[in-house]
């Protein structure tokens, strides 16, 4: 397959060039148009990526926040990553797990240990987990991943497991699908071929095309829920964000499914990283612009923010269109049981616990959600996109957020979180427009109070 059809570098540069020097009026018109939630073209996204003017940035941020609320309502979905192994035969220059790092404490969890980590995460109140591991054919093969997934579903009350793992062949993707995963996540890191080559000097990850075509193989295997992203800081963010959008458009046009999520990882210091600093630093302001441009260009796509970012910035980004966040994260295998600083992939920045994070989300007027309903109700792939595109998805999101947050308040939350959370739930109930959905939600809240769990629309 000619992968230049997926990512055309000349075209990306041409679009960025065309986005330069566009008048303030024309840029404002694009921002206004985006408020209709029909998304934007790559030309328009390129224009927004070139914004430097403070007034225009403010207009962009406002529109992004409004679009997020229109589509998803106020809910912010919360999850925790679970690292099953830091063994890796690749040599990504930026990563603490790279094979050349001889000082790292290497570990691959067995099924028992994976379940133990999941149970600790569950005790904090999480219902969603993102399974993550390095790439080592003898340690982190497909059986390692699916045995972990199956055991967690069986032995912990974790209701959705997403997986971030190396690209694989169709047969292995089929096994992954059969294990019942939610989203398969894979970051291209950078879509710029020369930079990709420099950053991935050896190991199977050095094959750019094999990574780029992973999603086609995943779809062939029946996985229609996938997440993409780039590691911000490796190359010019304007190029990489536009390339991410080009990839998304390619998938939509050719397979009728765009990415379920886009992640926005920004390069962090890592133990024995071969990079002293980000080759192309991305400022906080740039990161805010990136979130807003994604939100307006592909409004129906979830945007995931991790604890790589500092607390103050995470709080701001919540207002700009982020729809999913991790909280209380550990980035080493076994890290929830015992945190080993010499086994981590990179340094996290926001160290707040899940309970603290819930209070922050409440104080900002958002609604924390542990919802896992969509993929269990078969609202995935094309079906999810259609609902989201019609901006109907919030009809499910709001009540499901209320119901799952209520469970958390009863089962896990501190007194302060309970107080803030109950007040927020009362407010969120009033906002439900549909009288039938409202009355069912009230009924289900009563059932949850009596001990029933896992009720959803
Ligand atoms: N090993 C698999 C792979 O590379 O696809 C699985 C995921 S890897 C453990 C998860 C992601 O962490 C990578 O895709 C990369 O974007 C990100 N990452 C690696 N090093 C990082 C760093 N120093 N700072 C921030 N993110 C990093
Ligand atoms: Fe291995 Fe993934 Fe880290 Fe690269 S990013 S060294 S593949 S764990």
């Amino acid at each position: 397959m000619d992968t230049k059809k997926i990512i055309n570098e000349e075209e990306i540069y041409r679009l960025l060039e065309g986005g330069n020097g566009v008048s303030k009026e024309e840029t404002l018109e694009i921002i206004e148009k985006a408020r209709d939630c029909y998304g934007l073209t790559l030309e328009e996204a390129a224009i927004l990526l070139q914004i430097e003017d403070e007034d225009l940035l403010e207009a962009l941020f406002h529109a992004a926040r409004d679009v997020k609320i229109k589509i998803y309502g106020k809910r912010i979905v919360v999850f925790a990553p679970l690292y099953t192994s830091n063994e890796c035969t690749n040599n990504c220059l930026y990563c603490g797990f790279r094979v050349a790092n001889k000082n790292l404490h290497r570990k691959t969890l067995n099924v028992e240990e994976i379940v133990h980590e999941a149970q600790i995460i569950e005790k904090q109140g999480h219902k969603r987990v993102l399974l993550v591991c390095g790439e080592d054919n003898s340690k982190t093969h497909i059986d390692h991943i699916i045995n972990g997934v199956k055991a967690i579903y069986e032995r912990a009350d974790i209701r959705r497991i997403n997986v971030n793992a190396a690209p694989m062949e169709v047969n292995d993707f089929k096994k992954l699908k059969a294990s019942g995963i939610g989203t398969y996540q894979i970051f291209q890191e950078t879509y710029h071929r020369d930079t990709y080559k420099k950053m991935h000097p050896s190991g199977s990850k050095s094959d750019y095309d094999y990574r780029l075509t992973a999603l086609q193989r995943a779809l062939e295997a029946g996985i229609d829920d996938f997440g993409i992203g780039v590691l911000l800081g490796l190359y010019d963010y304007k190029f990489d964000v536009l390339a991410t959008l080009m990839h998304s458009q390619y998938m939509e046009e050719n397979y009728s499914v765009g990415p379920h999520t886009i992640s926005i990882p920004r390069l962090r210091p890592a133990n024995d990283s071969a990079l002293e600093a980000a080759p192309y630093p991305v400022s906080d302001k740039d990161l805010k612009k990136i979130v807003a441009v994604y939100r307006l260009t592909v409004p129906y796509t979830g945007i995931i923010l991790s604890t790589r970012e500092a607390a103050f910035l995470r709080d701001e980004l919540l207002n700009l269109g982020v729809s999913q966040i991790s909280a209380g994260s550990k980035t080493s295998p076994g890290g929830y049981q015992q945190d080993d600083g010499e086994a981590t992939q990179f340094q996290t920045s926001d160290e707040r616990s899940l309970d603290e994070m819930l209070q922050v989300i409440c104080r900002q007027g958002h609604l924390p959600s542990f919802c896992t309903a969509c993929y269990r109700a078969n609202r995935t792939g094309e079906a999810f996109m259609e609902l989201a595109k019609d901006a109907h998805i919030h009809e499910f999101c709001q009540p499901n957020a209320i119901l799952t947050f209520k469970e958390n308040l009863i089962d896990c939350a501190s007194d302060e979180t309970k107080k803030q959370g109950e007040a927020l739930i009362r407010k969120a109930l009033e906002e439900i427009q549909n009288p039938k959905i409202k009355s069912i939600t009230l009924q289900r809240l009563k059932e949850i109070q009596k001990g029933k769990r896992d009720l959803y629309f």
Side-chain angles (χ1 to χ4, degrees), residues 376-392:
R376 295 155 85 209
N378 288 327
R379 294 192 293 266
T380 63
E382 227 178 318
F384 175 86
M385 289 298 161
E386 270 167 28
L387 266 174
K389 278 181 183 169
D390 285 346
H392 288 321

Side-chain angles (χ1 to χ4, degrees), residues 265-285:
R266 186 165 56 155
L267 196 62
R268 293 281 305 153
N271 288 327
D272 279 329
S273 162
L275 299 180
E276 273 180 21
Y280 287 81
V282 174
S283 70
D284 291 354
K285 202 202 263 185

Side-chain angles (χ1 to χ4, degrees), residues 160 162 177 181-185 215 218-219 222-227 257-261 374-375 379-381 384-385:
R160 176 174 178 134
N162 300 330
K177 166 83 183 163
I181 64 155
T183 308
Y184 170 66
Q185 211 181 61
L215 297 180
L219 278 167
I223 296 177
D224 61 0
D225 213 322
F226 57 85
V257 212
H260 186 67
T261 54
C374 274
Y375 94 108
R379 294 192 293 266
T380 63
F384 175 86
M385 289 298 161

Side-chain angles (χ1 to χ4, degrees), residues 104-389:
L104 190 80
H105 296 173
R106 303 268 173 192
K107 189 169 172 66
T108 298
L109 303 185
N110 61 31
V111 168
E112 219 38 56
E113 291 166 324
I114 293 175
V115 170
H116 193 199
E117 287 285 283
Q119 288 169 340
I120 299 174
I121 291 172
E122 178 200 334
K123 275 213 182 79
Q124 294 176 6
H126 283 288
K127 298 292 177 216
R128 269 178 187 244
V129 154
L130 172 67
L131 224 64
V132 187
C133 59
E135 180 179 11
D136 180 335
N137 282 342
S138 66
K139 308 266 174 49
T140 63
H141 41 70
I142 187 67
D143 289 338
H144 162 79
I145 299 174
I146 64 172
N147 290 340
V149 170
K150 288 177 187 163
I152 295 174
Y153 278 138
E154 273 165 27
R155 295 169 53 194
D157 185 18
I158 294 294
R159 300 172 188 163
R160 176 174 178 134
I161 304 172
N162 300 330
V163 171
N164 184 323
M168 43 190 106
E169 291 295 315
V170 175
N171 268 343
D172 283 352
F173 272 130
K174 281 187 180 159
K175 291 184 191 169
L176 195 60
K177 166 83 183 163
S179 72
I181 64 155
T183 308
Y184 170 66
Q185 211 181 61
I186 181 165
F187 306 152
Q188 188 64 23
E189 319 295 12
T190 172
Y191 286 93
H192 188 252
R193 282 174 189 269
D194 285 351
T195 306
Y196 188 93
K197 212 165 161 188
K198 275 187 224 143
M199 293 293 156
H200 308 99
S202 61
S204 48
K205 193 162 164 183
S206 54
D207 189 341
Y208 176 105
D209 289 339
Y210 188 68
R211 196 167 180 89
L212 188 65
T213 51
L215 297 180
Q216 274 105 311
R217 294 192 297 281
L219 278 167
E220 199 181 325
I223 296 177
D224 61 0
D225 213 322
F226 57 85
I228 61 174
V230 284
L231 183 52
L232 295 162
L234 296 184
Y235 187 60
D236 175 14
Y237 76 86
K238 293 179 185 171
F239 178 96
D240 266 334
V241 168
L242 209 54
T244 307
L245 292 166
M246 189 176 260
H247 193 183
S248 160
Q249 193 179 65
Y250 177 87
M251 296 308 290
E252 267 223 76
E253 283 175 4
N254 291 275
Y255 300 90
S256 308
V257 212
H260 186 67
T261 54
I262 294 182
S263 299
I264 49 163
R266 186 165 56 155
L267 196 62
R268 293 281 305 153
N271 288 327
D272 279 329
S273 162
L275 299 180
E276 273 180 21
Y280 287 81
V282 174
S283 70
D284 291 354
K285 202 202 263 185
D286 296 336
L287 191 61
K288 289 181 355 188
K289 180 163 72 174
I290 291 167
V291 169
V293 170
Y294 278 143
R295 176 50 63 227
L296 297 186
T297 310
V298 282
Y300 46 86
T301 300
I303 299 178
I304 303 183
L305 173 66
S306 74
T307 56
R308 288 174 181 87
E309 299 305 332
F312 80 93
L313 184 63
R314 295 229 305 165
D315 299 355
E316 281 191 45
L317 291 169
L318 283 181
N319 278 315
L320 292 177
V322 161
S323 52
Q324 296 190 24
I325 59 162
S326 51
S329 307
K330 302 289 176 206
T331 67
S332 61
Y336 292 96
Q337 190 182 11
Q338 192 177 29
D339 202 5
D340 176 358
E342 299 305 314
T344 56
Q345 191 193 14
F346 52 81
Q347 289 169 19
T348 52
S349 186
D350 185 350
E351 306 290 347
R352 290 173 294 186
S353 68
L354 172 62
D355 194 71
E356 287 171 277
M357 208 52 223
L358 293 178
Q359 289 180 30
V360 171
I361 299 173
C362 288
R363 274 201 297 277
Q364 292 203 2
H366 303 293
L367 182 61
S369 176
F370 296 90
C371 174
T372 56
C374 274
Y375 94 108
R376 295 155 85 209
N378 288 327
R379 294 192 293 266
T380 63
E382 227 178 318
F384 175 86
M385 289 298 161
E386 270 167 28
L387 266 174
K389 278 181 183 169

